[in-house]
Amino acid sequence: MKILVVGANGQIGKHLVRFIQDSKDHTARAMIRNPEQAAYFKELGAETVQVDLEGEIEDIAKAAEGVDAMVFTAGSGPHTGKDKTIMVDLDGAVKTIEAAKQAGVNRYVMVSSFDTTREAIQAAPESFAPYVAAKHYADEWLRATDLDYTIVHPGALTNNPGTGQVQAAAKVERGEVSREDVAAVLFGVLENDTTIGKEFQVIGGSVTIQEALKKI
Amino acid sequence: MKILVVGANGQIGKHLVRFIQDSKDHTARAMIRNPEQAAYFKELGAETVQVDLEGEIEDIAKAAEGVDAMVFTAGSGPHTGKDKTIMVDLDGAVKTIEAAKQAGVNRYVMVSSFDTTREAIQAAPESFAPYVAAKHYADEWLRATDLDYTIVHPGALTNNPGTGQVQAAAKVERGEVSREDVAAVLFGVLENDTTIGKEFQVIGGSVTIQEALKKI
């Protein structure tokens, strides 16, 4: 399987591309914004493609040509302006969904936020609510498509090393999860078609990722 | 007909409530954020209801109880933070749409932006794109409902006195239009059920609003 990783240069994205390349069964195409970001991926033997998420759907669709699945793990991040929340986390995500359709890529895995429900938007602190809203509408857009989607809702992200063990279900207690484990979950999702059409929250835990995904 | 005007205290909203109250056939309920905004509407004999667009759908639905139509003319405005673009122009709008459904209000008139297409988002200057995107997704949400909607896309708004004359069609040249004329168009839309399920751009022109709306 060839997988387009959107937001490959993020921390989750970097782990994910590494897992994909290490697997031998699959290959990654890393979608990056700047050519300077390419070295890491070339070293892993992954393809790279340079596309700005704020660009045209057609450019993203071209980047997705010939892949079997797409993973969206881009995020505007805490250091970009507030404008980027809607332009990247919502509009950028929607454009990749539309690009997947255009390119005939049926499998789409979305890295969402832990809770993107209406209730979560209302309950969020004022500074965080726009991000939750952006992810809410991106998730809604994806759910309304015919794509074979999975939506992953990770808890509070840490840079701890992965443990390979998590807790995953439609609803779990709020908690932390390492970015490396989230990447491993994404890889597991790509390998498990039983996760198609489903979404789940995931935090650190004591069940192997394989086991956890089987029960989704 | 009783009409809930969301964003009544904006300039278009104030004109619209006045037109509704002057008509004698209809009455307005002005949805406002602060009680200090009530005096203008009380003077016109209109009802007021105090609800924050960033609040719960249920509160908006309660404000909409017993009305026959809803007009959304709220906007975050140029002086609010960028966060407000997604929280008011998108999420606020969506909540009023959901509130209309909950309250059984079938008629919904949206004041959108002149061009909210994908092409317009891509072509917009960086500072304006988030607003266009927010309006794009609000319009999309409305189109996907079963509500009897009309989406009005006004040109660049001015504070010139209304002329009662406009140019309106699915596509018109970019141009200016006075807020008072936009309010008159909204009033005309409410009175013309032939505009249901339609959307149009409107700028200043030389055709009476009645005539212009007949050709939509």
Side-chain angles (χ1 to χ4, degrees):
Chain A
M1 193 158 61
K2 182 168 284 186
I3 300 139
L4 181 70
V5 179
V6 178
N9 200 54
Q11 294 182 71
I12 293 173
K14 280 182 167 177
H15 288 300
L16 176 58
V17 171
R18 180 168 49 81
F19 288 138
I20 293 169
Q21 292 300 121
D22 284 352
S23 73
K24 311 296 175 204
D25 294 333
H26 311 295
T27 55
R29 183 182 294 166
M31 190 168 126
I32 54 178
R33 200 168 45 222
N34 298 316
E36 303 100 73
Q37 298 168 340
Y40 172 86
F41 303 103
K42 283 184 181 155
E43 191 130 322
L44 291 172
E47 291 176 30
T48 60
V49 60
Q50 194 195 329
V51 179
D52 189 337
L53 259 185
E54 295 186 61
E56 308 274 346
I57 292 173
E58 287 66 28
D59 295 332
I60 306 170
K62 213 173 149 195
E65 261 172 29
V67 307
D68 306 287
M70 214 153 141
V71 177
F72 184 89
T73 181
S76 62
H79 303 302
T80 55
K82 293 292 180 183
D83 281 19
K84 298 295 180 194
T85 304
I86 189 163
M87 297 316 289
V88 174
D89 299 298
L90 170 52
D91 200 47
V94 166
K95 284 192 281 189
T96 63
I97 293 165
E98 294 305 302
K101 290 188 205 167
Q102 276 189 25
V105 180
N106 290 322
R107 186 74 173 112
Y108 188 103
V109 181
M110 172 71 91
V111 180
S112 182
S113 182
F114 184 71
D115 189 346
T116 61
T117 57
R118 162 61 50 201
E119 293 68 32
I121 300 176
Q122 300 300 138
E126 201 175 336
S127 64
F128 191 56
Y131 176 74
V132 179
K135 299 298 279 183
H136 169 83
Y137 288 103
D139 289 352
E140 283 284 273
W141 194 277
L142 181 55
R143 289 183 196 112
T145 68
D146 293 325
L147 295 176
D148 291 339
Y149 71 81
T150 305
I151 304 177
V152 179
H153 299 277
L157 300 167
T158 73
N159 289 329
N160 296 336
T163 64
Q165 298 195 317
V166 297
Q167 185 186 345
K171 279 270 161 213
V172 301
E173 293 268 313
R174 209 171 266 273
E176 292 189 340
V177 61
S178 83
R179 289 183 171 87
E180 190 170 8
D181 278 333
V182 173
V185 166
L186 295 172
F187 182 75
V189 162
L190 288 164
E191 288 214 309
N192 285 277
D193 283 354
T194 55
T195 61
I196 288 174
K198 296 183 183 162
E199 51 189 292
F200 59 88
Q201 295 180 328
V202 58
I203 57 170
S206 54
V207 182
T208 66
I209 289 169
Q210 274 298 332
E211 283 294 304
L213 290 179
K214 266 186 210 146
K215 289 179 190 155
I216 294 300
Chain B
M1 192 158 61
K2 181 169 283 186
I3 300 138
L4 181 70
V5 179
V6 178
N9 200 53
Q11 294 182 70
I12 292 172
K14 280 182 167 177
H15 287 301
L16 176 58
V17 171
R18 179 168 50 80
F19 288 138
I20 294 169
Q21 292 300 120
D22 284 353
S23 73
K24 310 298 175 202
D25 294 332
H26 311 295
T27 55
R29 183 181 293 165
M31 189 168 127
I32 54 178
R33 199 169 45 225
N34 297 317
E36 304 101 71
Q37 298 167 340
Y40 172 87
F41 304 102
K42 282 184 181 155
E43 191 130 322
L44 291 172
E47 291 176 29
T48 60
V49 60
Q50 195 195 328
V51 180
D52 189 337
L53 260 185
E54 295 186 61
E56 308 275 345
I57 292 173
E58 288 65 29
D59 295 333
I60 305 170
K62 214 172 148 195
E65 262 172 31
V67 306
D68 307 286
M70 214 153 141
V71 177
F72 184 90
T73 181
S76 62
H79 303 301
T80 53
K82 294 291 180 184
D83 281 20
K84 297 296 180 195
T85 304
I86 190 163
M87 298 316 288
V88 174
D89 299 298
L90 170 52
D91 200 47
V94 166
K95 284 191 281 190
T96 64
I97 293 165
E98 295 304 303
K101 290 187 204 168
Q102 276 190 25
V105 180
N106 289 323
R107 186 74 172 113
Y108 189 103
V109 181
M110 172 72 91
V111 181
S112 182
S113 183
F114 184 70
D115 188 346
T116 61
T117 57
R118 161 60 51 201
E119 292 69 32
I121 300 175
Q122 300 300 138
E126 201 174 338
S127 64
F128 191 57
Y131 177 73
V132 178
K135 299 300 278 184
H136 169 83
Y137 288 104
D139 290 351
E140 283 283 274
W141 194 276
L142 181 55
R143 289 183 196 112
T145 68
D146 292 325
L147 294 177
D148 292 338
Y149 71 81
T150 305
I151 304 177
V152 179
H153 299 277
L157 299 167
T158 74
N159 289 330
N160 297 337
T163 63
Q165 299 193 317
V166 296
Q167 186 187 344
K171 279 269 161 214
V172 301
E173 293 267 314
R174 208 171 265 274
E176 292 189 340
V177 60
S178 83
R179 289 182 171 86
E180 190 171 7
D181 278 332
V182 173
V185 166
L186 296 171
F187 182 75
V189 163
L190 289 163
E191 287 215 310
N192 285 277
D193 283 353
T194 55
T195 61
I196 288 173
K198 295 182 183 163
E199 50 188 293
F200 59 89
Q201 295 180 329
V202 58
I203 57 170
S206 56
V207 181
T208 66
I209 288 168
Q210 274 300 330
E211 283 294 305
L213 289 180
K214 265 185 210 146
K215 290 180 190 152
I216 293 300

